[in-house]
Amino acid sequence: MRAGSPQKLIYDFSALKSDASLLGGKGAGLVAMLQLGLPIPPGFTLTTEACHAFYTKNKLPKSLVIELKEAIKRLERKTGRQFGGTKKPLLISIRSGAKVSMPGMMDTILNLGMTDKAAAALADETGDARFAYDTYRRYLSMYGEVVLGVHAAHFEALIETVKADKNYEHDHELSAEDWYDITQSIQKLLIQEGFELPKDPFQQLLDAVKAVFQSWMNPRAISYRKIMDIPDNGGTAVTIQQMVFGNAGDDSATGVAFTRNPSTGEKSFFGEFLMNAQGEDVVAGIRTPLPIEELQKILPAAYRALRRAEHVLERSFRDMQDIEFTIEHGKLFLLQTRSGKRTAQAAIQIAVDLVAEKKISRREAVSRISTQHIQSLLYPQIRPEDKTSIIAKGLAASPGAACGQIVFSPEEANLMLSEKRMERVILVRQETSPEDIEGMALAEGILTARGGMTSHAAVVARGMGKCCIAGCRTLEFRLGKVFLGKHELTSGSWITLDGSSGDVMLGQIPTHIPPPSAAFHTFMSWVDQIARLEVYANADTPQDVMLAKRFGAKGVGLCRTEHMFFEATKLAAMRRMILAKSGQERTQALGTLEKIQKDDFYTLFLALDGLPITIRLLDPPLHEFIPKSKAEMDTVATSLGDPDCISRMEALTEVNPMLGHRGCRLAVSFPEIYSMQVRAIRDAAHMCTKKPLVAIMIPLVSDPQELAHIRALCEKEAFGCPIGAMIEVPRAALLAGQLAKNADFFSFGTNDLTQTTFGLSRDDAAQFLSTYQEQDIFDQDPFCHLDASGVGELMEIAIDRARKQKPRLELGICGEHGGDPASIHLCHTLGLNYVSCSPYRVPGARLAAAHAAMKDNA
Amino acid sequence: MRAGSPQKLIYDFSALKSDASLLGGKGAGLVAMLQLGLPIPPGFTLTTEACHAFYTKNKLPKSLVIELKEAIKRLERKTGRQFGGTKKPLLISIRSGAKVSMPGMMDTILNLGMTDKAAAALADETGDARFAYDTYRRYLSMYGEVVLGVHAAHFEALIETVKADKNYEHDHELSAEDWYDITQSIQKLLIQEGFELPKDPFQQLLDAVKAVFQSWMNPRAISYRKIMDIPDNGGTAVTIQQMVFGNAGDDSATGVAFTRNPSTGEKSFFGEFLMNAQGEDVVAGIRTPLPIEELQKILPAAYRALRRAEHVLERSFRDMQDIEFTIEHGKLFLLQTRSGKRTAQAAIQIAVDLVAEKKISRREAVSRISTQHIQSLLYPQIRPEDKTSIIAKGLAASPGAACGQIVFSPEEANLMLSEKRMERVILVRQETSPEDIEGMALAEGILTARGGMTSHAAVVARGMGKCCIAGCRTLEFRLGKVFLGKHELTSGSWITLDGSSGDVMLGQIPTHIPPPSAAFHTFMSWVDQIARLEVYANADTPQDVMLAKRFGAKGVGLCRTEHMFFEATKLAAMRRMILAKSGQERTQALGTLEKIQKDDFYTLFLALDGLPITIRLLDPPLHEFIPKSKAEMDTVATSLGDPDCISRMEALTEVNPMLGHRGCRLAVSFPEIYSMQVRAIRDAAHMCTKKPLVAIMIPLVSDPQELAHIRALCEKEAFGCPIGAMIEVPRAALLAGQLAKNADFFSFGTNDLTQTTFGLSRDDAAQFLSTYQEQDIFDQDPFCHLDASGVGELMEIAIDRARKQKPRLELGICGEHGGDPASIHLCHTLGLNYVSCSPYRVPGARLAAAHAAMKDNA
């Protein structure tokens, strides 16, 4: 605000050009419609600046009150009606409207200006007392609810009492007198509740404006913004218009229409309406609306006007519009237009159609589709209307929906599916560990009590494209039982998870996967033309590789060799190697493992069919292959015929395994492991007729000497393939220039880099990171979105130093962030060559890469 | 080496100025003595460049062989004798000598030039056949041992056989014929062993030179250099001189003298000698040498010459000299002079005396004392001669010596000391944890099987100034018993630890602490005048504070509040707080803790008596206060009367506690803990008449918002004291500029910063870090010496950004590195204001700070 001259806070629709950040979406839409010559009720908008001023002063600023008074006067002049008047009373609507549409999140008040006298005047003027008092009682209920905070049920109850007294079944049976009585009972009720309706309707207007401003910060709106990533500081505009009445008689109606089908994207006018009703009746769902085609028969002129408006609006906004309209005595009024919400499928169909219709460019089509849209196409979904019986919420750790019978362990999953002939199971665990992988693979979905968005369960589930809800705090394992809030869970009970929302539901809820359309393929081809960053997939099995190819990955950016060893028979060989008593025993076990690895790589290479693959040598600490409990250790010892190996198993335990004996540190201690792996890769590659493009990647490098040492070790079994390093600890980033001398490429392991940069364990962070977000200390989870200021700067340092050493060094990222749009933007800006993510995130990543490239030219 | 003209590799003593890096210490000393006009046998030196050339070519370079031949010819001319000749044979000594003295580590060969004929010639010339053949057999044994690798015992055995045959008791009873026979038997023995002595004495010389060069890389020498931090690439020079004979008759002698007493530093000539003997007889200890004063009576002229030489040498080298001499037929020859090894006590006494004598400046005195010298003054020591029965070696984790009866747990320590009336115990553990602290405090020393130089045991022991040997690999806990190699250890057995060397000894070995001298105090006052970095101590108790003051700390740089809670009664209150079921229970428990903390701070402040103190708020994860085993948990649950709290204890477990819910993260979740601590500090400060200078330090900060949040929390209980942050994760270093806005000072927590920068857990690193050092991947343990290229760069970034924001921001370091001289140098260079380390390391740190400051002006 400039000192001295208070900023103008209210604009008539005719006074300004359409600017959504100042006028909100609703206000801007009305200005635009006016300019397009479409019929709208006259009015004005209190800007978002007014909202800021309200929050700054914690009251309505004086200048705003003065402007508001003047604006009402202008409206009186324009309409020839009188606000709060006893003749031709002016009634107005007060509606919220932020820059970005937040449907249903904030408040609206209709019919303000109604008083006992104004109602009588309106009855007089229209000769329709029933209409006048119906309108009045609507106003009173809304004011009571929105401004005074009295629950709507109280007002409903008053109506129900009258209906019961008079033996009515439907509202339309209520007479003018009945509605009049109700307006009086509502006023009495408010007084009983300790409220008094201000006599002056302008005071009521001030209260209403205040209430709408305040609704910006209601918990519903706040959490909606959090989920939708809308900033909290935008504020809402308030649009005030003369009321038009869809409930003015049988030549009146109100409705909602879409210029295209919002479910399918089909190019056909779509909508519904109610005769003789006001807007909230459509929302309330008391009466069933009619399909929009019916309007053509009932009010053909209004219908024609609506279709004309619809054409004008879509042409003007070059997007599918969601239009609110009211017909008063046969005349059409448009109340709102905005880009319509749509399903993912519809979004793509519409974008592709609009390009075909030459309304938008391919680039614009690409810019309009969000990565969430794309991702949501790939997962099973639950229709919102089927979401009954939600009994808990957790972190939406891996999207999609799943339904199955509860099991509590991988063994139980196996048993249930094989012997008990269950068809689908959901694995419910305190948390998961690598030993649960087989169980996770068998399950439809995973629910855990602990762990955050990048806990083991979440990461593996996303990798498998499997639904997962993690960190479900109300899930408790106690005294050998499992509780979900007040519900005790038992094996075999049905449960349904929505991994896209974090909702846990009791029972079997139907799920469905929409098949990808032709439009989808067309669209993704445009995406790839625009993107500069290449998108690879993280894949460990031929199944993963097939998925990666199906989702358009350029190849495999990260193949984790350890995942090959968690299968039961392979795990046994791995354990024999780890627990070998002598060099000879170890060599023997390594021989077995080499055969296994060679076979695994061979089938992987066949699936790749010539696409490139980057294979990371063994990374996890050896104790990850060893069971944790004494009983399981005993079993292993027995199966190995080596009772002494228990102490060797115990000795492998680490205090901080994340920072322990893992990655290439294993190969410094046990060089034979990496040698075996490189030989297996080489020999498998030799077996292929179509030679795979293999690169070998060294994990957890922290020192140039170390990398030189490991590189030399690998090159002993060499076959000339590129050898690169993961940059996943800060020291590697800082020494990237020196590391580059011995690396053919770098891949940032941003999961570990985030852990070490923050000093934050992703396995343990869930329990306190949420507090950080609640208290606005962190505005995001650094394991979901790359931290630009810390981790990002280390990456920048590394890239800069690496490229100084080797200007054409290939640089990529293969952490979980590789599938996150915001992180992909950062990777693009930092100048990486590629990202690699789990196959299911590949299409979204391709789109995010295109979005990032478009920003360069914007 | 320059191409074309081979570099000169041999210099006569007269040909060059004294340069130890080229000629080795021995060669340089001889050159200097010649220039001072002191009597030395003529000769020449093969340079360290010659040694490099040998290692580069893996053989003696041709040019060296040619130069050697010429040098021998020059020596023949100078001495008028003939090398390998049958008349007046020239005998020579071949001695190693590196730049930095490595006494006894490399090889020497005396009397080379001896052959059957030369021996006969020498017998003829001297008329002393016994001398000639004694000299010959000495040569053969040395050649056999050094060049051919035949164990000396074989030669000893031949002599013993003769003595037994002839019924002799002492060597001097052996006749010329006996020695002749022995020279023949040695030659036969060598042939039997498959060796043939080259006929040509020049070939023998080449072999001897080669052997001496090779001895640079013998394991003994390598490990000596590792311990003494001497680089491996220096190489050794080889000095060749005409032999002079201390064994030429009763007017001949050989000995060693020091210009001052090397044990006490007293200014009195000190030494010992053997009549009619060669140098190695002194070393071998077969005959007991006489004190140097006796020489005055036996050979007064030679004694006078020696005293003259001693004066000249000390005046010239301005340091106490260690002189080797030989007297041949009454004539004195000096064979070597070097700065004498001395005890720490002597080093300081000599330095202070030399200043008083105006021979050196105070700065030079300070530069001559090593931090090891200073530190070794503070700890109990074992006299080397008492070190019998070493049964194992571990890491020298905390210096000093300790002797006591073995206990295996803190409980046992308590029991043994109280009920069984043992006086001193040594705690022997697999590894230690915070719960062992009381037991560690009770014990004289700690021995652990696991953990490195910065494991819990090592860090706490150094903090307590208590002897500790960690990571003793041969210490095994198996089947309920404890073994140290082949010895089974039982409770109550006596054991002695030398924490300065890592030696573990059976039985009671006496230890002693030398009291600090007046010279020490004088010396340390000079140190503090030179140093720029200030030295604070880490101290948690009044006892620590008293120690800190005694050792000259400027105040307390790190007071860890959590250590106050590990005492039994306090721990109970802490557990009640952690396991509280309700807010009310927590408040109650916090109330108890607040009283305890206030009292603790009060006594701490009294001990400080006005010195400054920086108090770190609670840092460790809460589970550190909770027992680990099920049985102990049960006990806690019973004592709290809350059986349900077991699940709460279990829920506190973390996968990577180092990266978990700790530091200021605790205060985000449980703000009441920090509030309580700040109130306790404030109220304790108010109780003091002499106001303590308190600063509050926030641990594990990773984000500016987080610091602002915690600062605001602390300021609610404010009393205007400075509030600072620990920089101990990379992100804090990177964002130091922003953090500085809300910090009055920074302290680098380099232990954690090293862990996170490397991605390396110090608790787990011991098992593989040694492999890294063995394989020369890491040349040092980054937990002992600050890693300049990684951690150091992050510190540099942080300092730069912080000082840009606040140019006068106080910056320090409080990790274990704060006591390490190399790290202190780095801290000085980086421009820190202070270091803080455990009290026992304070004097060494003060000296290291002075050394660093002197380098600035050098």
Side-chain angles (χ1 to χ4, degrees), chain B residues 517-544:
Chain B
S517 60
F520 174 81
H521 295 296
T522 307
F523 179 79
M524 291 308 289
S525 74
W526 301 342
V527 162
D528 290 344
Q529 283 162 18
I530 294 168
R532 185 186 58 67
L533 266 180
E534 297 197 313
V535 179
Y536 287 76
N538 301 348
D540 311 332
T541 63
Q543 293 75 22
D544 290 346

Side-chain angles (χ1 to χ4, degrees), chain B residues 145-168:
Chain B
E145 190 181 352
V146 172
V147 178
L148 305 178
V150 179
H151 200 283
H154 288 99
F155 309 124
E156 296 297 332
L158 291 176
I159 298 172
E160 292 309 314
T161 309
V162 174
K163 280 159 76 177
D165 283 353
K166 307 247 168 149
N167 258 327
Y168 299 155

